[in-house]
Amino acid sequence: ASSDDGDVTITIPADLALKIDVSTDDGSVRSSLPMTIEVEGDHHWSGTLNAPEMSLTISTDDGDISIRELLD
């Protein structure tokens, strides 16, 4: 998922196994899911959720990134 000038919000199940890499030039990154963070910086981080078999890359130039838990 990517955006040049807008926010990106991803909603995923908490039991999904996923490697996530996110970056933003001028925004912030937030997650409500318990992830293992491997690389963390002001505008970039990489982490895992459960035992990952898939990967997801999210980027935006001027927006925020939010990762939320999909609730039943």
Side-chain angles (χ1 to χ4, degrees), residues 1-61:
S2 66
S3 172
D4 286 332
D5 294 314
D7 296 343
V8 177
T9 299
I10 302 294
T11 304
I12 56 176
D15 61 351
L16 183 66
L18 192 64
K19 178 171 177 54
I20 300 175
D21 185 73
V22 299
S23 62
T24 178
D25 289 339
D26 293 318
S28 62
V29 178
R30 292 181 289 280
S31 176
S32 65
L33 295 167
M35 294 187 200
T36 301
I37 303 300
E38 298 168 353
V39 175
E40 186 172 13
D42 288 341
H43 300 283
H44 174 256
W45 58 260
S46 178
T48 58
L49 179 63
N50 302 313
E53 297 177 11
M54 298 181 290
S55 63
L56 172 66
T57 300
I58 305 168
S59 64
T60 180
D61 289 335

